[in-house]
Amino acid sequence: MNRAALGALLSHWARHPFQLAMLLMGLALATALWSGVQALNAEARAAYASAEELLADGGLARLEHPSGRMPDAEFGRLRRAGWMVSAVVEGRARLGQARVTLLGIEPLSAPAGGTGPALAQADLESFLSGTGFAHPQTLAEMGDNGLDLRPSGAVPVGMVLVDIAQAQDVLDMRGQITRLTLAPDQRKGLTPLAELAPDLTLIPPGEGADLAGLTDSFHLNLTAFGLLAFAVGLFIVHSAVGLAFEQRRGLFRSLRAMGVPLRNLCALLGAEMALFGLLAGALGLVLGYLMAALLLPDVALSLRGLYGAPVPGALQFNPVWAAAGLGMTLAGMAIAGGQALWRLAHLPLLAPAQPRAWAQASARARRAQAALAVALALAALGLAQWGGGLVAGFALLAAALLACALIMPVLLAGALALAGRAARGPVAQWFWADSRQNLPRLSLALMALLLALAANIGVGTMVSSFRATFIGWLDQRLVAEVNVIPRDPAEAARIRAFVAARGEAALPVQRVDATLAGQPAQIYAMKDHATFRDNWPMLDALPDLWDRLAAGKGVLINEQLAHRDGLGPGDVLTLPQLGAMPVLGVYPDYGNPLAQAVTGLDLFAANWPDAPVRQYALRSDAPQALIAALQDELGLSSGQITDQAAAKAMSLAIFERTFLITGALNLLTLSVAALALFAALMTLSGMRLVQLAPLWALGLTPRALAGLEALRALVLAAMTMIFALPVGLMLAQLLLAVINVQAFGWRLPMQLFPADWARLAAGAWLAVALAVALPAWRLWRDGPRDLLKVFAHER
Amino acid sequence: MPFNSHRLKPAPPRPPPPPAPPPGGGAARPVGRALAVLWLGLVSAQAQGFAGLGLEVEGFAAPQRGHALEFPRDHGAHPDYRIEWWYLTATLSDADGQDYGVQLALFRSPYAPEEREGFASPQIWMGHIGLTSRDAHFAAERFARGGVGQAGVSTAPFEAFIDEWRMISTAAPDQDALDHLELRAGTAEFGFELTLQATGPLVLHGDQGFSVKSFDGRASYYYSQPFYQVTGQLDLPDGPVGVTGQGWLDHEWSSQPLSDDQQGWDWVSLSFEDGHRMMGFQLRGHDIFTAGTWVTPEGQATALPPGALRFTPLDHAEVAGREVPVRWRIDWEDGGVSVITEPLNPHAWMDLGISYWEGPLRFSGSHSGRGYLEMTGY
């Protein structure tokens, strides 16, 4: 009996293959977007973990010199004093075709637990004699690199692991090391480090640039997008399942009449949904994997560009990920189909189509929905007022968006009622009244459209505002015509003398790593020069800022530090070696995850005399001539010299990559929303025949009816779009003023881009027009036949 | 103590080490294992790949009969030799008459026959310390490379060190550098601080320090200072203990392995109550190769020719999952010596990256006294 019943139930799909395709596609798309984003996140997180595990560094305290290097005799000295330390040399180097982080370890003293030392110790003699390790992708990127390297997946992408002696050679750091790591267990009664090595800074475990922490916001952004796409996908499924149930109402009745118990019927329908869930889930996983594989190179580039995070460009397949994605699909299917199943189980067997009763029932539902919207809006206000942190920021975002989505049908109903009151003539009055009556059926799809449109406007506004601000800021910050990287202090001195002799200015870039207010930070030196006085952008500053900075009477801090620590001009910041210094001003520092402070050059040089000059910013009226002279007369290589245009192009490229993913996901979300609307309209067109048939009988032509149907959809879509604009701008404001500040520490001014909205509106309208075209055309073509059936059938 | 690179090589089929980490081993174990592998690599490459090539090994120097040792120069390191060690053992007692044994060994094994500045140095150093009482045995190890001041042996003044473990000469300028030593080493768990005063001269083993190790003529340079009076303090988990006793320092270097068939050895250093000293060893291969040195209280040394000594195992103990002969009868018939050795603690297993048995003993029979026993390859 069950088999026959299942056959009858499934035969519906054979007759409506398009509906089946939509159901499966909606579910598959939802799964694909969600699981694709999850795959991206998982891949990146695995990369961070492998970077951490390489030295098991996260759990170890470190000793560093403020200048970033120390003599390697310090290692021997501390070991001989009984301290179990290990030496590390780390630096950036161009090997073959790629710039990589070269990590030199001392495997004989390295604390146990790191994958790096384990790799080294597997064949220690060859490691000590110069055989290193790199990720296969890094090896491919480098090409011929002059080192003896073996492939290993344990080494993060963009990193090369070698013996410390070799790293010193390649980085030109003979006799010097970057830092010491301290083993967790030390003997008691040793001479304290503060006494043995007073100029070294002890950095407790877990502090410092923690990749997972820095990139959290990036991944949270991706996750939020994935979740949004999933929710929108579920709207499609809901519509398709609703339609299928509605259309099979007669079949259910017949089956029940023939003796199939309600419980069996429900079980069969549940099994049917589970089957579709599995099918669509598997398809979605494949799509999600493909999408992630396609997007990963860009995500990896963003993460590497933004944070130097070593993320590989190739995706691994993870069964846990697949299982989680499939689970999510089934759960989504249950949510989307549960309502229909519940209704089947609880509504009277012979419940006729009672649109009016439905509408009245949904009026009650609408009131509940409005109440929920108000509650969510209040929650959003509360979060805006008292919430703190990134998670609260996203909760605020979600609450505000949901409140808008929920309140929208209420507002639309109000607007339609108003329009109906103003309408003249029976057809017009019917048009508005009927639109109101059908609003509940369409409201889910319209809510999905609203969310997609608002997300599009909001994210688009944020990205465009950011780009506009960023480009202006770059022009102010990158004023030097030429940048030069000296290879060693002697060359730095030669460059300085050479440029000074030409009557041009060489502004040194010097910095030390430090911990400011408990965060990883950098302290930069700034020469007193018109370049900075005239151009350096400031958000907030005390008077006589530049004179006081030059005199060493205070420091500048970046916006990130100011925001995280609640500092402003006039406040006092404690710096290592310098002690308490007044904050003279706050400057914007987009694209930098770290806290930063700037001191006058003289003060810096007095406190950190050993800090190398990492770069010179050269001012010149004839930059091309200067570059040629640097190459010809000083023998600098072209790799050491960057001109202004190249520097700007590079910064912009990093910026564009950061938001490439956002753009791609945005477009996908909008497509899913259009599909949801299409599904809803298809559903509706089937059910509305009952209501349209009398009008046809009263003399309206199928063509007029089809036109009215299309018009209704377009009017509703237009109303949704109008409503989406303020919601989108609110979203943009939240992203710029709350999320960005929490995630990155920057607050950006919002700028409006109406041309973008027009483009979006045109696109959305086109999508809606396409969605409404098929049902309207069907009505027009099959109108008389289908409409007659209404009278012939019992409905 | 015989020179044998095979001491670093566990006998081939051997059960894995017991799960419990040894005292003081702690977090350094994986490094220890890896370095043991390195050492085995250094040693076995020549043992397997270069066996039969005679005395020249890959650019490393080889000991020559007739070469005169010269001090203090030869107290220092010989970077062009493939393996070298300084090994001090001491038999001690506290005021209550409780016996203890202490050892500190510094091993050197380069992967190239030279020294280079900084981390580029190919010289790999390994330190072992041990402390044995009647019912406990502690062992710990350290690894380092030369060139950065973390480990090494200097001659003016004499100092052998790895990390904070060290053996430093406090001898007067007119004395031999090894006549007076200060020793200090330890871990979070145990340690010791000893002062050593020599009461006799250095003793050269074999033919003026050229010590033959097998019938096919493989050899090492090998000398000892067997006449130390020791005072000092042990740091035990229960607290410090003052001790006095006798000590024995070996210094040995070579580039040659033993024959391929030699699996390990048993070695003793014995201090007789009448002031004599005796060093003896047997190398276990297809044939048993024994040799030794008889030393009068004045320091007159007589080399015992191959076969003159006989080692007979009397009792085995299960140590670290192995059957180890911890009680021996040692006979030198021509000298009228026949003694039976009793270990202070049969479980004196040095469960480190490279593992072996090394512990203090008392002996009785024709003569009596105290000494140290080392057994490898079990």
Side-chain angles (χ1 to χ4, degrees):
Chain A
M1 181 181 73
N2 282 342
R3 260 182 84 163
L6 187 64
L9 286 173
L10 289 178
S11 70
H12 168 81
W13 301 107
R15 273 182 286 119
H16 298 88
F18 187 72
Q19 217 176 63
L20 176 65
M22 196 145 55
L23 173 68
L24 291 180
M25 196 155 57
L27 205 50
L29 270 182
T31 309
L33 286 173
W34 167 252
S35 59
V37 163
Q38 290 310 104
L40 288 175
N41 283 345
E43 190 68 30
R45 294 227 169 86
Y48 308 150
S50 85
E52 286 260 303
E53 280 162 17
L54 191 65
L55 281 183
D57 245 2
L60 298 178
R62 300 182 315 231
L63 282 170
E64 290 179 0
H65 191 271
S67 72
R69 40 176 76 183
M70 62 183 102
D72 58 14
E74 287 291 275
F75 167 69
R77 203 169 63 85
L78 292 182
R79 290 289 301 198
R80 293 224 52 199
W83 285 94
M84 294 293 102
V85 293
S86 187
V88 176
V89 166
E90 189 174 349
R92 299 281 291 168
R94 175 163 285 278
L95 289 180
Q97 301 301 308
R99 264 185 89 69
V100 296
T101 298
L102 197 68
L103 186 70
I105 61 168
E106 211 291 298
L108 278 72
S109 56
T115 50
L119 266 181
Q121 286 159 8
D123 184 355
L124 197 51
E125 190 179 351
S126 69
F127 187 80
L128 292 176
S129 343
T131 303
F133 297 90
H135 195 279
Q137 191 186 328
T138 318
L139 287 177
E141 284 170 10
M142 288 189 292
D144 191 18
N145 54 59
L147 294 181
D148 174 22
L149 298 177
R150 288 185 201 164
S152 164
V155 181
V157 173
M159 196 173 257
V160 172
L161 179 76
V162 292
D163 182 58
I164 189 164
Q166 186 155 26
Q168 287 178 324
D169 254 17
V170 176
L171 296 172
D172 217 358
M173 282 180 65
R174 267 175 225 91
Q176 300 211 289
I177 55 176
T178 313
R179 62 172 179 269
L180 294 166
T181 51
L182 276 141
D185 299 320
Q186 300 285 348
R187 280 182 78 175
K188 291 186 181 60
L190 300 175
T191 315
L193 285 171
E195 207 171 298
L196 269 176
D199 52 339
L200 298 186
T201 318
L202 179 70
I203 297 159
E207 239 175 65
D210 170 17
L211 278 182
L214 281 178
T215 51
D216 253 1
S217 51
F218 187 89
H219 295 296
L220 205 53
N221 267 320
L222 278 184
T223 306
F225 246 110
L227 211 53
L228 180 64
F230 190 75
V232 171
L234 288 189
F235 286 130
I236 307 182
V237 178
H238 185 271
S239 305
V241 169
L243 175 61
F245 271 69
E246 197 61 42
Q247 288 178 337
R248 286 188 288 183
R249 195 178 281 272
L251 176 64
F252 298 160
R253 214 154 39 195
S254 309
L255 285 174
R256 292 289 311 279
M258 285 188 287
V260 178
L262 179 63
R263 194 184 308 158
N264 288 28
L265 189 60
C266 287
L268 285 173
L269 283 165
E272 180 196 77
M273 285 199 286
L275 178 72
F276 289 157
L278 285 175
L279 271 178
L283 182 66
L285 285 179
V286 173
L287 287 176
Y289 185 81
L290 289 179
M291 183 193 90
L294 212 65
L295 290 180
L296 185 62
D298 285 321
V299 172
L301 279 177
S302 300
L303 287 169
R304 272 192 250 171
L306 266 181
Y307 309 102
V311 178
L315 196 65
Q316 314 280 320
F317 181 79
N318 181 352
V320 178
W321 164 80
L326 211 54
M328 193 80 178
T329 318
L330 290 176
M333 184 79 197
I335 293 170
Q339 194 198 359
L341 208 58
W342 182 87
R343 209 181 289 161
L344 170 72
H346 290 88
L347 280 189
L349 179 61
L350 291 172
Q354 293 170 314
R356 190 62 210 148
W358 261 110
Q360 277 164 353
S362 64
R364 278 196 300 279
R366 204 155 55 223
R367 274 196 293 280
Q369 202 171 320
L372 186 58
V374 170
L376 278 170
L378 287 176
L381 282 177
L383 279 168
Q385 194 66 39
W386 296 291
L390 196 54
V391 175
F394 271 99
L396 162 62
L397 208 65
L401 274 182
L402 266 180
C404 290
L406 286 174
I407 204 73
M408 187 191 62
V410 181
L411 294 180
L412 278 183
L416 291 173
L418 273 180
R421 218 168 289 160
R424 294 284 168 266
V427 174
Q429 280 180 346
W430 168 80
F431 178 82
W432 294 115
D434 188 57
S435 295
R436 255 179 85 195
Q437 180 137 317
N438 283 294
L439 194 58
R441 293 266 169 206
L442 273 176
S443 64
L444 263 181
L446 290 175
M447 278 154 68
L449 185 65
L450 173 79
L451 287 181
L453 285 172
N456 241 296
I457 294 171
V459 173
T461 304
M462 176 193 73
V463 174
S464 300
S465 299
F466 195 177
R467 184 185 287 118
T469 312
F470 187 71
I471 290 174
W473 172 82
L474 265 188
D475 286 340
Q476 291 174 301
R477 279 284 283 263
L478 295 179
V479 276
E481 283 76 15
V482 181
N483 286 294
V484 182
I485 300 170
R487 274 175 295 216
D488 51 50
E491 191 172 79
R494 278 203 303 282
I495 294 171
R496 194 169 51 234
F498 179 78
V499 175
R502 287 174 60 99
E504 286 158 328
L507 311 173
V509 177
Q510 275 174 292
R511 68 147 206 263
V512 290
D513 293 329
T515 304
L516 294 180
Q519 315 165 35
Q522 295 168 333
I523 301 175
Y524 275 83
M526 186 184 273
K527 188 174 174 168
D528 184 23
H529 192 267
T531 301
F532 301 119
R533 287 175 176 260
D534 298 346
N535 295 299
W536 193 262
M538 298 296 301
L539 293 172
D540 198 0
L542 295 180
D544 302 331
L545 152 78
W546 299 109
D547 292 335
R548 291 162 79 168
L549 184 70
K553 297 258 162 47
V555 296
L556 308 182
I557 60 174
N558 68 355
E559 190 187 357
Q560 287 85 313
L561 180 57
H563 166 74
R564 287 176 205 154
D565 238 47
L567 291 171
D571 293 339
V572 170
L573 174 69
T574 305
L575 294 101
Q577 302 212 24
L578 299 177
M581 298 282 285
V583 173
L584 298 176
V586 177
Y587 57 91
D589 191 18
Y590 308 122
N592 174 16
L594 297 181
Q596 209 176 76
V598 169
T599 75
L601 184 60
D602 297 339
L603 185 65
F604 186 93
N607 281 281
W608 293 284
D610 301 334
V613 174
R614 290 166 194 264
Q615 204 172 338
Y616 274 113
L618 307 182
R619 299 305 309 272
S620 169
D621 297 331
Q624 291 312 317
L626 178 61
I627 290 174
L630 285 170
Q631 288 179 332
D632 298 346
E633 293 170 43
L634 272 189
L636 298 187
S637 73
S638 57
Q640 289 175 270
I641 304 174
T642 339
D643 69 10
Q644 189 188 35
K648 273 186 192 161
M650 202 164 74
S651 303
L652 270 179
I654 290 175
F655 173 85
E656 297 292 350
R657 271 190 226 120
T658 311
F659 291 105
L660 201 65
I661 317 307
T662 317
L665 288 177
N666 229 339
L667 192 68
L668 283 172
T669 315
L670 191 62
S671 330
V672 170
L675 207 61
L677 191 66
F678 178 61
L681 288 171
M682 288 296 285
T683 312
L684 205 59
S685 73
M687 293 186 302
R688 282 183 47 70
L689 286 175
V690 187
Q691 294 150 27
L692 294 178
L695 290 165
W696 174 66
L698 287 173
L700 279 177
T701 61
R703 183 180 168 167
L705 282 175
L708 284 173
E709 287 298 291
L711 185 64
R712 182 197 342 275
L714 288 174
V715 164
L716 286 175
M719 286 174 144
T720 307
M721 271 184 257
I722 291 168
F723 189 55
L725 186 61
V727 176
L729 293 181
M730 176 201 74
L731 177 64
Q733 183 60 26
L734 284 179
L735 285 171
L736 288 169
V738 179
I739 301 292
N740 264 333
V741 175
Q742 295 293 350
F744 305 109
W746 325 312
R747 189 190 174 106
L748 293 162
M750 184 160 88
Q751 302 182 29
L752 301 181
F753 300 87
D756 287 354
W757 307 340
R759 252 197 309 280
L760 178 68
W765 207 317
L766 188 69
V768 172
L770 284 176
V772 79
L774 187 66
W777 177 71
R778 258 204 203 159
L779 183 63
W780 185 24
R781 191 196 57 183
D782 302 335
R785 195 187 71 199
D786 287 346
L787 291 167
L788 254 182
K789 268 195 220 159
V790 171
F791 297 111
H793 281 64
E794 66 274 30
R795 283 193 7 166
Chain B
M1 184 178 310
F3 176 80
N4 182 340
S5 44
H6 272 280
R7 70 173 288 154
L8 303 167
K9 185 176 187 178
R14 202 153 67 166
R29 296 311 306 281
V31 184
R33 292 270 178 262
L35 277 151
V37 171
L38 169 66
W39 277 58
L40 294 178
L42 296 178
V43 164
S44 60
Q46 66 190 71
Q48 288 150 16
F50 297 90
L53 281 184
L55 299 178
E56 284 301 316
V57 183
E58 285 182 69
F60 285 94
Q64 304 293 327
R65 190 184 289 274
H67 169 83
L69 299 185
E70 197 182 296
F71 302 106
R73 187 195 67 196
D74 280 323
H75 289 323
H78 302 82
D80 48 340
Y81 285 81
R82 186 131 212 183
I83 191 158
E84 179 163 20
W85 61 60
W86 296 256
Y87 210 121
L88 184 116
T89 53
T91 51
L92 306 167
S93 303
D94 66 12
D96 302 336
Q98 288 288 330
D99 282 359
Y100 297 93
V102 159
Q103 46 181 309
L104 184 155
L106 187 63
F107 305 86
R108 181 191 62 79
S109 180
Y111 55 85
E114 58 185 336
E115 177 61 308
R116 291 193 288 262
E117 283 259 307
F119 284 113
S121 165
Q123 301 287 330
I124 306 296
W125 295 82
M126 175 169 80
H128 281 185
I129 57 174
L131 196 169
T132 316
S133 69
R134 183 164 297 282
D135 34 47
H137 177 80
F138 304 95
E141 67 190 334
R142 294 284 174 81
F143 295 94
R145 68 177 109 186
V148 284
Q150 187 191 357
V153 175
S154 59
T155 49
F158 173 84
E159 182 180 16
F161 61 94
I162 183 165
D163 294 341
E164 81 277 23
W165 301 353
R166 64 181 203 161
M167 179 154 55
I168 187 168
S169 169
T170 49
D174 58 328
Q175 293 178 303
D176 182 81
L178 299 187
D179 279 359
H180 201 143
L181 292 178
E182 302 278 348
L183 223 77
R184 186 159 61 186
T187 67
E189 194 179 20
F190 74 100
F192 46 82
E193 217 176 319
L194 303 175
T195 302
L196 291 78
Q197 177 77 52
T199 57
L202 296 177
V203 170
L204 308 182
H205 298 290
D207 180 359
Q208 293 302 301
F210 181 81
S211 169
V212 177
K213 294 298 183 239
S214 70
F215 291 111
D216 55 12
R218 290 153 200 264
S220 68
Y221 290 121
Y222 181 15
Y223 69 88
S224 302
Q225 170 47 272
F227 292 112
Y228 284 121
Q229 291 299 322
V230 183
T231 59
Q233 177 179 301
L234 308 182
D235 290 315
L236 294 167
D238 302 338
V241 181
V243 288
T244 56
Q246 295 173 308
W248 179 306
L249 177 71
D250 277 339
H251 180 196
E252 184 166 18
W253 65 100
S254 178
S255 295
Q256 303 168 44
L258 298 185
S259 303
D260 283 348
D261 63 288
Q262 290 177 329
Q263 306 240 318
W265 67 83
D266 309 299
W267 167 96
V268 288
S269 63
L270 303 177
S271 298
F272 291 69
E273 277 173 358
D274 63 9
H276 281 82
R277 303 285 191 269
M278 189 170 91
M279 184 281 294
F281 59 84
Q282 70 165 351
L283 290 145
R284 306 187 304 274
H286 289 315
D287 307 303
I288 298 281
F289 182 92
T290 67
T293 305
W294 176 253
V295 185
T296 67
E298 296 73 37
Q300 291 293 323
T302 310
L304 310 183
L309 278 178
R310 207 168 64 244
F311 287 71
T312 313
L314 300 179
D315 278 321
H316 288 72
E318 192 176 317
V319 183
R322 301 159 172 88
E323 285 290 309
V324 182
V326 292
R327 200 163 157 268
W328 291 85
R329 194 176 73 232
I330 298 167
D331 298 298
W332 177 34
E333 277 155 27
D334 297 346
V337 174
S338 175
V339 296
I340 289 173
T341 68
E342 297 280 354
L344 173 64
N345 180 343
H347 299 280
W349 187 253
M350 301 293 282
D351 192 3
L352 302 172
I354 291 159
S355 57
Y356 51 98
W357 195 103
E358 179 116 16
L361 57 82
R362 280 185 182 271
F363 62 89
S364 55
S366 66
H367 301 74
S368 57
R370 299 175 71 174
Y372 243 83
L373 169 64
E374 174 178 279
M375 298 182 285
T376 69
Y378 287 97

